[in-house]
């Protein structure tokens, strides 16, 4: 039975790719990917030559049929998004659902880099749960409403944001709850990586001092008294 591999790829530093991911990419008959140029560059770096087919957010459902046809022909297929883990704020979930719903082919995860997991690992925020939200709506009304819902849960949550909207989003969260703190991850694993933990107001002031804001952001929001509350409950 043919297999569909869901392969996590580096979010910046190419050294983060796993040995298993490299083996799967070398052994697969076909590699489906979000952007053939982007994945082509990754494969070229590791001297891997494979047939590539584009499977992105605009053609994912139609492309899923082609991927299933390849699996039915006995070909193993690996799927990569542009960076990180497919299906986590990236295309991939439609392909997985279609193959699972319409066949008995195995769908196998090949885990690896993920920006929100990387940020969480260095946040030092104690708690038993954390909500991963991914990208919020670019529309201000919807974004504010979702921020209100997330903040009302009174537990840490992580969002992704572009450099063009990050300051606006942080200010909207501050308007909702000025007592929030945050851990900001910018350009995680890349040359100009920046991790900063501060009050939300402090993060905002830090970004406002920059001449320009560049890079992709992951932001963990939390209340600074959550750690003490956890300790008080355990004592």
């Amino acid at each position: 039975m043919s297999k569909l591999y869901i392969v996590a790829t580096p979010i910046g530093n190419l050294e983060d790719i796993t040995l298993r991911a490299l083996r799967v990419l070398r052994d697969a008959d076909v590699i489906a990917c979000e952007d053939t140029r982007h994945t082509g560059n990754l494969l070229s770096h590791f001297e891997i030559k494979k047939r590539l087919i584009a499977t992105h957010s605009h053609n994912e459902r139609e492309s899923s049929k082609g991927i299933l046809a390849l699996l039915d022909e006995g070909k193993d297929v690996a799927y990569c998004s542009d960076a990180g883990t497919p299906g986590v704020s990236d295309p991939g979930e439609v392909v997985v659902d279609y193959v699972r719903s319409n066949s008995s082919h195995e769908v196998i995860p090949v885990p690896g880099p993920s920006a929100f997991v990387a940020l969480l690992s260095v946040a030092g925020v104690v708690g038993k749960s954390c909500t991963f939200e991914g990208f919020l709506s670019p529309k201000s009304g919807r974004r504010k409403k979702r921020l209100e819902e997330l903040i009302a849960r009174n537990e840490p949550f992580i969002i992704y944001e572009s450099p063009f909207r990050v300051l606006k989003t942080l200010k909207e969260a501050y308007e909702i709850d000025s007592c929030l703190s945050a851990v900001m991850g910018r350009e995680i694993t890349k040359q100009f990586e920046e991790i900063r933990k501060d009050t939300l107001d402090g993060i905002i002031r830090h970004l406002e001092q920059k001449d320009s804001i560049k890079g992709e952001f992951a932001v963990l929001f939390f209340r600074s008294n959550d750690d003490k509350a956890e300790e008080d409950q355990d004592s």
Side-chain angles (χ1 to χ4, degrees):
M1 186 67 67
S2 299
K3 299 176 178 64
L4 170 63
Y5 294 92
I6 304 301
V7 183
T9 55
I11 58 178
N13 193 321
L14 295 183
E15 292 180 356
D16 288 338
I17 198 163
T18 67
L19 294 175
R20 184 184 177 204
L22 289 174
R23 177 181 58 79
V24 167
L25 293 173
R26 288 191 179 103
D27 291 347
D29 296 296
V30 179
I31 297 175
C33 51
E34 185 177 358
D35 186 322
T36 56
R37 292 167 299 178
H38 186 95
T39 299
N41 289 336
L42 175 70
L43 297 178
S44 178
H45 179 83
F46 291 105
E47 299 181 342
I48 299 172
K49 294 182 179 180
K50 290 289 173 178
R51 175 188 171 192
L52 299 178
I53 58 174
T55 305
H56 46 74
S57 58
H58 300 295
N59 77 341
E60 195 172 1
R61 189 159 298 281
E62 188 62 31
S63 184
S64 297
K65 299 176 183 177
I67 290 173
L68 180 54
L70 289 168
L71 293 168
D72 287 341
E73 291 173 9
K75 291 180 170 59
D76 288 336
V77 180
Y79 179 74
C80 306
S81 55
D82 281 353
T85 302
V88 182
S89 285
D90 269 339
E93 67 272 14
V94 173
V95 173
V96 170
D97 179 63
Y98 187 84
V99 171
R100 285 195 178 281
S101 299
N102 294 281
S103 75
S104 58
H105 295 295
E106 285 188 78
V107 180
I108 301 174
V110 182
S114 177
F116 94 86
V117 175
L119 181 65
L120 191 59
S121 73
V122 296
V125 175
V126 179
K128 295 181 179 179
S129 62
C130 179
T131 297
F132 171 64
E133 180 68 13
F135 287 100
L136 296 167
S137 173
K139 296 183 178 180
S140 181
R142 292 182 181 179
R143 187 171 60 246
K144 287 182 180 178
K145 182 179 179 181
R146 185 55 180 158
L147 281 170
E148 289 172 350
E149 294 170 347
L150 290 166
I151 292 169
R153 292 182 179 182
N154 199 29
E155 66 179 28
F157 66 94
I158 292 178
I159 66 165
Y160 289 163
E161 193 52 276
S162 76
F164 311 107
R165 283 196 304 269
V166 64
L167 199 51
K168 182 180 294 184
T169 298
L170 293 179
K171 288 180 177 180
E172 288 171 349
Y174 183 77
E175 290 173 1
I176 297 167
D177 188 342
S178 60
C179 294
L180 287 173
S181 293
V183 183
M184 178 197 77
R186 183 177 69 87
E187 293 288 85
I188 294 175
T189 82
K190 300 176 184 178
Q191 182 179 0
F192 299 106
E193 176 183 81
E194 179 183 16
I195 307 291
R196 190 178 186 89
K197 185 176 183 178
D198 201 345
T199 62
L200 183 53
D201 182 48
I203 297 289
I204 291 170
R205 284 187 277 107
H206 171 70
L207 290 177
E208 285 180 329
Q209 291 171 2
K210 293 182 176 295
D211 293 331
S212 62
I213 298 175
K214 299 178 181 180
E216 297 298 320
F217 287 79
V219 184
L220 168 63
F221 296 85
F222 68 101
R223 287 193 171 84
S224 57
N225 62 350
D226 285 352
D227 293 356
K228 186 176 186 306
E230 181 86 11
E231 293 172 358
D232 292 341
Q233 289 177 2
D234 292 342
S235 61

